[in-house]
Amino acid sequence: MNKLPTVKAILNTPSIFEGFTFEDMVTVGRVNAEQATSTCMINAQKDYMKNHGWSDMKNLEGFLNKWSKLESQVRRKFEEAEEIASVL
């Protein structure tokens, strides 16, 4: 299986606002953790499939398990940023 993107790379997905990442946007309260997770994971999956094709699909169960764990880690990080936004 090809290496999945890192949590840090996904958190640093550029937003539609020039110079801001999705992590920045959650921290300042422009988007919530669920919106950021959904958008970033969809983009990461598109990039992964474009760069690695379907070669990993021979081990689909393993791929889905690892992808699910990655998504959980990303969601946790965005939720932490959301907590910071609620305090600010």
Side-chain angles (χ1 to χ4, degrees):
M1 180 181 302
N2 291 304
K3 187 175 179 183
L4 296 179
T6 64
V7 172
K8 184 174 181 166
I10 294 171
L11 294 177
N12 288 320
T13 299
S15 73
I16 59 171
F17 297 98
E18 189 67 33
F20 293 95
T21 65
F22 268 91
E23 187 174 27
D24 297 333
M25 298 306 292
V26 173
T27 303
V28 297
R30 297 281 288 187
V31 295
N32 67 35
E34 190 58 39
Q35 292 168 320
T37 301
S38 176
T39 301
C40 290
M41 291 307 293
I42 288 169
N43 290 337
Q45 190 173 33
K46 285 179 184 175
D47 289 344
Y48 182 84
M49 293 307 218
K50 182 171 66 173
N51 294 325
H52 301 292
W54 293 93
S55 62
D56 285 340
M57 295 305 105
K58 60 186 169 217
N59 183 15
L60 183 59
E61 190 172 318
F63 170 79
L64 292 175
N65 186 30
K66 288 184 178 185
W67 193 263
S68 178
K69 287 179 183 177
L70 177 63
E71 185 172 356
S72 294
Q73 292 171 337
V74 168
R75 180 173 287 111
R76 242 187 331 270
K77 290 293 188 180
F78 279 135
E79 286 170 349
E80 289 171 9
E82 196 172 52
E83 286 179 33
I84 291 170
S86 70
V87 173
L88 296 179

